[in-house]
Amino acid sequence: MEGDDRSVSRRALLAATGGAVALSTVGSADGDDEDRGTSDESDSAWSDRLRRCPEATVRPSTTHCRRASTDGCSDDHPATEALQEEVRKSLERQYPDVGAIIEKGYKPYFDTVFDGDDDDSGGWSHWLNPEYIGDDETLNPDRPESILVDNEWWRPIGAMFVAARDGEPIERPPAVYGESGGGERCSPWHSHTGLPGRFAWWYYRQVYGDAYRNVDLRLPCRTPCLLHVWTVPHPDGVYAHGGPPRGNRGGPPAEDPGFDTDARPGDDELGWDVLPEEVVPETKPDEWRARLGL
């Protein structure tokens, strides 16, 4: 999202506040009418949409989940060290390369906000597994709902856990430690209230909706609760929201991408154009954003 918030189209604000996404079923809108589909809305209806998602923003933003707190979190706490090591071993054993990630059913989403060459935190992607999001487990290192992959080295650099049961958000996800009292409590779950993150969740539910029940055509007011565990050094800690600097992601590049491609890790950027055809969705996120005027 570029430019000042005041220049954002009403359609983008409509989406940001949880308005119905009618374009998802009818295709692109007429480019000559920026606000087509919303011009006949009454002021009352517009106010109702704003009240529905009071925390929603157009720009990226996050908020703590219910009863979540990072006050007691420490990278050298035994529970944090154990969780990070379990995630690291799981990635090395089960998801050593992109091919293995694909075989396990993960779906790519090249959604990083900071993707410019001049931004040191860009160049990584989320891969989500609809089956694991749709099960009843949470915070299982062997079945992470999302794997975080560096797009230059083609290597996993961490996992993201999604607090969901049967595909639906869990209101109060479990703490990493300190749940029963007796010491500091660490529950670093966060939720995205900004438009980019909420659109990403909506997109996955649309594209892989057969893994869920009652998929809503409206953008959600927030994403489910999320928790990152980085397996590479991060200046902001193991549970940091944003990606680690490029220099912290290790190397050398993956020796074998794990699938047939002419692209080479370390030389070519991991993206839609180098993946097997069966992995690439018919309509990519950027195309949906253009259709919705976001």
Side-chain angles (χ1 to χ4, degrees):
M1 303 296 294
E2 300 290 341
D4 189 277
D5 281 345
R6 289 172 296 181
S7 67
V8 177
S9 71
R10 192 176 183 212
R11 184 187 301 154
L13 291 172
L14 177 67
T17 52
V21 187
L23 295 181
S24 64
T25 59
V26 300
S28 301
D30 186 338
D32 294 332
D33 185 355
E34 181 68 10
D35 294 328
R36 183 176 295 277
T38 67
S39 59
D40 59 349
E41 286 189 312
S42 67
D43 290 340
S44 175
W46 179 247
S47 297
D48 287 343
R49 295 187 191 280
L50 291 173
R51 283 194 294 269
R52 177 179 178 269
C53 296
E55 295 180 307
T57 63
V58 172
R59 294 198 179 274
S61 61
T62 61
T63 185
H64 285 302
C65 293
R66 185 177 180 185
R67 297 191 70 241
S69 173
T70 59
D71 292 344
C73 296
S74 172
D75 284 1
D76 59 4
H77 189 283
T80 295
E81 292 179 338
L83 178 59
Q84 186 184 41
E85 183 62 19
E86 288 174 5
V87 170
R88 180 182 292 109
K89 288 181 178 179
S90 175
L91 295 180
E92 292 175 351
R93 183 176 62 252
Q94 299 189 77
Y95 315 104
D97 54 50
V98 175
I101 293 172
I102 292 173
E103 288 179 4
K104 290 288 187 178
Y106 285 85
K107 311 297 182 182
Y109 187 82
F110 299 103
D111 59 339
T112 179
V113 175
F114 306 105
D115 206 18
D117 293 335
D118 60 342
D119 196 301
D120 192 48
S121 63
W124 58 281
S125 52
H126 293 78
W127 290 65
L128 273 74
N129 191 314
E131 178 184 351
Y132 296 167
I133 293 174
D135 65 19
D136 61 357
E137 296 193 56
T138 305
L139 215 57
N140 183 344
D142 288 327
R143 295 168 63 89
E145 286 82 5
S146 177
I147 293 178
L148 310 172
V149 178
D150 180 73
N151 295 342
E152 180 179 5
W153 303 125
W154 298 32
R155 289 180 178 275
I157 54 176
M160 184 180 76
F161 297 96
V162 180
R165 183 174 293 113
D166 298 328
E168 298 301 326
I170 298 173
E171 185 176 352
R172 297 171 60 177
V176 176
Y177 57 85
E179 188 74 276
S180 58
E184 293 285 355
R185 185 172 182 275
C186 175
S187 182
W189 295 91
H190 68 280
S191 179
H192 288 263
T193 52
L195 182 56
R198 294 183 299 109
F199 169 79
W201 177 245
W202 175 88
Y203 173 83
Y204 256 94
R205 289 175 65 88
Q206 296 301 310
V207 175
Y208 307 108
D210 58 348
Y212 311 108
R213 297 190 303 272
N214 302 320
V215 175
D216 198 335
L217 291 180
R218 298 176 299 178
L219 290 185
C221 294
R222 59 167 62 191
T223 68
C225 296
L226 311 171
L227 188 156
H228 290 158
V229 175
W230 300 101
T231 56
V232 297
H234 199 305
D236 296 328
V238 172
Y239 305 114
H241 294 181
R246 294 178 189 267
N248 288 24
R249 299 179 195 172
E255 295 180 4
D256 185 345
F259 62 94
D260 291 334
T261 179
D262 293 331
R264 294 171 55 88
D267 293 332
D268 300 293
E269 189 82 357
L270 179 63
W272 298 116
D273 57 329
V274 305
L275 294 176
E277 183 177 342
E278 62 270 18
V279 179
V280 181
E282 182 176 345
T283 305
K284 303 180 186 68
D286 285 347
E287 296 173 90
W288 270 119
R289 281 195 287 263
R291 289 186 181 188
L292 300 177
L294 305 182

